[in-house]
Structures are given as structure tokens and as C-alpha cells.
Amino acid sequence: MSLAWDVRSSSGAEGVPEGWQVRRVSDLVTLTNGHPFPSEIFGPTGEIPLVRIRDLGGGPFETYVTGDVPPAALLRDGDVVIGMDGDFNLTTWNRGPAALNQRVCLLRPRDSVDMRFIAYALPASLKIINDLTFATTVKHLSSTDVLKERITLPRLEEQRRIADFLDAETARIDQLLEVRHRQGAQLSERDYSMLSEALVPGIVTKPRGTSPYPWLPDLPQDQSLVRLGYVCRLQNGLTVDSKRDVTRDVVTRPYLRVANVQAGHLTLDDVTEITVPRGVAERSTLRPGDVLMTEGGDLDKLGRGTVWNGELPDCLHQNHVFALRPDSSSLSGDYLALMTQTLHGRCYFESTGARTTNLASTNSGKILNFPVPLPSIERQHALVRRVQASLQVTAKARTLLIRQQALLAERRQALITAAVTGQFDVSTASGRNVTDNVTEGVAV
């Protein structure tokens, strides 16, 4: 199909640049839906990777197809692919031949269309659809939704110029984003190393290599390994029970769930309430200074403690959230929480955790058996102050990096929007000065 070009039809349209046209996506591309492969022909290994929505993010393939793939479902480099559920992500495929699963569709250009231009112009329309789509669970996109969208399109040679310009400028911004990402990872590594060496000197450089804890170094004379259960009491949380009698002396309290306890911090935007007998509530009420640990989760986050500072009065906690109550004369809650985040804490909980396919779990016995290097309480407080001061420095640097990443992402999108809508002439423009007012303050 060849696009008939009638400049006169668009030259007078409001907001449309001279010589551009507003065209339906269905006029510009062909759309092919993925193939509903039967489950018996794919598995963890095979001849060709199967692309599902989760594979559009660039991670390792999880599923492969064995046998023939219908030609219409064979994906090749340069195809534009859209996930039809969730966030409606669009990507230009560049990972070699692959089979296209259902709920993923591919777009290929008709005559007089540069597919790179379409790939830059279409996501804005998909975002509008996503924002306007109401769904209680997962949002869904149809082929009709995509094909009926409209794009403002210049002539083919201008499409190519714009695509070339955006390829170069977005690559430059993406490189800056990658640098910022690596810097953030390096800050996290610095925090991890600093924290581990501050609380367990020599653990990074001089591990002893002997059982039962080969990662530990020889400890200073003022420290000894103390089983956590000797200096800390563990409080179990309450279980939701629909048969529990709540007709007599009851109270309604905030209720902390596993989702509220993250690695090293709390998320309290969504805290539910629960009504229980007063006696049950008294046995599961959190106190300021308690250290919270979850029973299960990602292996690398298992056993990480978070200090409860009384953020919600009279708050209760779920049975899958353990509350550790240190003896304040022997153990600082802040010191314990930090110790769980050291190399020592990570090695202990990862080596003792029970693992499943994607998650891991611990239990009260393993937590109470955690061997804590225990200096004097005064020394613990001094170490906590020193570590927290250092963490605050890197936290400020991390905040700046996050802001720069956000501004760079804004600049990238503003640059694309301006280019694909004809707001400037890419043959004379530089991406360095376009939308600078949007990204003022970004160090590039």
C-alpha cells in the first residue's frame, strides 16, 4: 500500500506543521497478533525463544519453543512490539529471531513509512489509552485500540531525518542514564562495605574461613558472639481468624502486614485495621524500639531488620512479621537492625533460609540463633551514630542521582515529543539545547 500525499489537506490544520498529515495507524502499519502456542511445545529449553510480555524488558528468556513457528509469529530485528496487557510497553526488537506469544503484537511498516518514526511517535498515544483505561487488576489493549490511533506524519525523508536525530540524541541520554544507574549501584556497594567493616572490622578483607561462620574475621577483644535469643525477646504477631469472637471486649487497631515491612524501611501508605479481643491485642502490640523482621521474601532481603519507632500508636503486627524486643541494657535496636544488613547478616540469613523457586523463608528459631558480635552498649551507640552519619552522606548523593535520572528521562521524552510533532527542525537543531528549560540543573 502506498500513501498518497496531499500536502494541501494538512497545511491548514490547526497544530499540524506545514506539509505534515494526520494519519491513522492502520494506514501506516500492519499489525500481527501473537500466536497462542500450546503449552506442550514450549519449556525452559528449545530451538527459539518465546517472547511474552515480561520478556519485553530485556531480561533473560525463560521459555523456548520446540518445533515449527508459524511465519506470522516469527519476530525479527527491527520489528516494533507492543505488550497488550499492563503498561502497554512498546519496544523495537533487537534480540534476534523469536516466537511471538499471544497478547504481544508486532507492527511492520507499509510503504512510505519509517518504522523508527512510528516507534517514537506511538508510545504517547498508548500512554493516553493506558491513563484512560479503568481496570481493577490488569489493563488490556486491543488491536483496534492501536490501529485507530492517529499520528502526525511528515514525508518519508523527514521521518528518516527525525528518526536519525532521535536515535543519536536518545542514545546519548541513555548513556547518561546508565552512568547515573552505575553510580547509584556504586553508592549501594559503598554503603554495604562501609557498614560491614564498621560493625564487623575485617569481614571484607580478612575472613577467617573456619566453621561455623567462615565469613567472619577474628573479632576484637571487646566483642564476643552472642546468640540473639540471650539478649532479645521475640514477639509473635496475630493471625487473622474469621471465627474469633469479636462481640465482647474488643479494640480496633492498625495492623502491620508483611507488605508494610521492607528491607531497611517501612511503607505505611496502606495500613489496614483489625478488630480483635483486647487480650489478643495486648500480646501483639508493637513498642518503640522493636526491630521488625519478615518471615519470608526475596532471599537477598531475608532477615533485614527495620526499627519500629512508634509511627502508629498501639499498632499490631501480622504473624508473618516478627517483633524483636532487645534488652536495652545489652543490645541497641538500631545496632541490631544495622547488623542484619551487614555481610555477616546477609551470609547468616541466606545460608539458613529455606528456599523455594522465587522466595525464601526463616523462622523464629533461626532468628534467635543469629550470632551477634556484641561490644558494650556504649560502643554500639557510638557505632550507630558513625554509620548513620556516613549513610546520610550517601543518601544525599543518591537523592541527587535520582533527581538527575528523572530530569534526564523528562528531557528524553520532551525531545521525542517535540521532534515527532514538528516543533523544531531537526536538520538544524541540537538535542543539547532543545528542552533545556525542562531539565535545568541536570549535570551532563
Side-chain angles (χ1 to χ4, degrees):
M1 174 182 176
S2 178
L3 293 180
W5 204 264
D6 183 2
V7 174
R8 294 172 299 174
S9 66
S10 62
S11 59
E14 183 178 355
V16 178
E18 184 73 24
W20 291 45
Q21 291 184 331
V22 178
R23 303 300 299 256
R24 285 187 182 275
V25 172
S26 58
D27 294 335
L28 309 177
V29 305
T30 61
L31 184 148
T32 303
N33 289 300
H35 186 74
F37 289 96
S39 59
E40 61 267 17
I41 71 166
F42 59 77
T45 60
E47 299 173 2
I48 187 169
L50 179 65
V51 177
R52 299 178 174 183
I53 289 177
R54 61 176 173 264
D55 298 311
L56 299 182
F61 292 114
E62 298 179 2
T63 311
Y64 289 78
V65 172
T66 299
D68 295 333
V69 175
L74 188 60
L75 189 63
R76 59 176 184 256
D77 285 352
D79 286 335
V80 171
V81 189
I82 302 175
M84 305 296 276
D85 299 325
D87 294 330
F88 311 156
N89 291 326
L90 179 149
T91 186
T92 299
W93 190 254
N94 60 1
R95 302 174 65 189
L100 199 65
N101 197 38
Q102 58 184 342
R103 302 306 300 159
V104 182
C105 73
L106 69 88
L107 306 180
R108 286 176 178 160
R110 298 185 186 274
D111 295 341
S112 302
V113 175
D114 188 311
M115 202 61 206
R116 295 175 302 157
F117 182 92
I118 302 298
Y120 282 120
L122 187 55
S125 298
L126 297 180
K127 184 179 186 307
I128 292 173
I129 297 174
N130 186 291
D131 292 344
L132 294 177
T133 301
F134 175 78
T136 56
T137 53
V138 178
K139 297 180 180 180
H140 302 286
L141 183 67
S142 71
S143 301
T144 302
D145 292 329
V146 177
L147 293 174
K148 73 180 182 182
E149 284 304 308
R150 296 175 181 269
I151 289 177
T152 307
L153 197 73
R155 292 181 180 276
L156 180 59
E157 58 270 22
E158 182 65 11
Q159 295 174 41
R160 290 169 176 163
R161 277 197 295 270
I162 292 172
D164 289 343
F165 171 83
L166 289 176
D167 284 349
E169 292 301 327
T170 57
R172 187 176 66 86
I173 294 174
D174 290 343
Q175 287 176 350
L176 291 171
L177 285 167
E178 177 59 27
V179 169
R180 297 298 183 261
H181 177 76
R182 288 201 304 268
Q183 290 171 334
Q186 289 167 353
L187 284 177
S188 297
E189 290 177 7
R190 176 203 179 270
D191 282 347
Y192 187 39
S193 177
M194 177 278 301
L195 174 62
S196 297
E197 277 292 316
L199 299 192
V200 191
I203 192 169
V204 174
T205 56
K206 299 177 181 179
R208 191 169 50 209
T210 58
S211 296
Y213 311 113
W215 55 83
L216 280 177
D218 292 323
L219 296 176
Q221 291 184 350
D222 66 341
Q223 289 190 21
S224 58
L225 281 181
V226 177
R227 178 177 174 269
L228 182 57
Y230 291 148
V231 289
C232 192
R233 185 168 71 86
L234 186 146
Q235 175 177 281
N236 289 301
L238 61 88
T239 304
V240 176
D241 185 357
S242 59
K243 298 179 180 179
R244 183 179 284 132
D245 183 8
V246 291
T247 60
R248 299 185 179 182
D249 185 17
V250 298
V251 293
T252 299
R253 300 275 178 82
Y255 177 62
L256 208 68
R257 299 163 295 150
V258 170
N260 302 123
V261 183
Q262 302 296 316
H265 68 280
L266 298 169
T267 302
L268 302 178
D269 295 335
D270 181 20
V271 177
T272 61
E273 291 187 337
I274 190 170
T275 299
V276 294
R278 189 178 300 275
V280 174
E282 290 175 354
R283 294 193 296 270
S284 300
T285 300
L286 294 173
R287 298 180 189 175
D290 286 349
V291 178
L292 306 179
M293 290 186 188
T294 58
E295 182 180 27
D298 296 334
L299 181 62
D300 65 331
K301 299 177 180 62
L302 191 66
R304 288 196 182 188
T306 303
V307 178
W308 177 257
N309 291 309
E311 287 84 351
L312 299 172
D314 300 321
C315 187
L316 310 181
H317 63 105
Q318 187 182 26
N319 62 313
H320 297 297
V321 176
F322 299 114
L324 297 159
R325 191 159 295 152
D327 176 356
S328 59
S329 65
S330 304
L331 177 63
S332 159
D334 290 314
Y335 176 83
L336 172 60
L338 290 173
M339 182 62 69
T340 66
Q341 300 173 43
T342 63
L343 177 59
H344 171 49
R346 305 311 330 125
C347 287
Y348 174 81
F349 284 105
E350 289 183 18
S351 64
T352 60
R355 308 187 191 192
T356 60
T357 303
N358 297 316
L359 299 175
S361 63
T362 188
N363 57 45
S364 58
K366 293 174 181 177
I367 290 174
L368 292 175
N369 278 326
F370 178 45
V372 182
L374 203 66
S376 67
I377 189 68
E378 293 79 15
R379 177 63 176 159
Q380 292 176 44
H381 291 317
L383 287 170
V384 167
R385 288 192 297 269
R386 172 186 161 193
V387 167
Q388 289 180 341
S390 181
L391 292 176
Q392 287 175 2
V393 172
T394 52
K396 291 179 180 179
R398 188 175 290 106
T399 298
L400 290 175
L401 285 177
I402 292 172
R403 173 170 170 74
Q404 288 186 354
Q405 288 175 311
L407 290 173
L408 284 165
E410 287 181 22
R411 175 182 182 137
R412 189 184 193 280
Q413 186 54 55
L415 194 65
I416 292 171
T417 300
V420 299
T421 54
Q423 295 179 34
F424 64 92
D425 183 357
V426 299
S427 62
T428 59
S430 167
R432 294 179 182 274
N433 51 41
V434 177
T435 69
D436 277 348
N437 60 323
V438 177
T439 58
E440 182 178 357
V442 179
V444 296

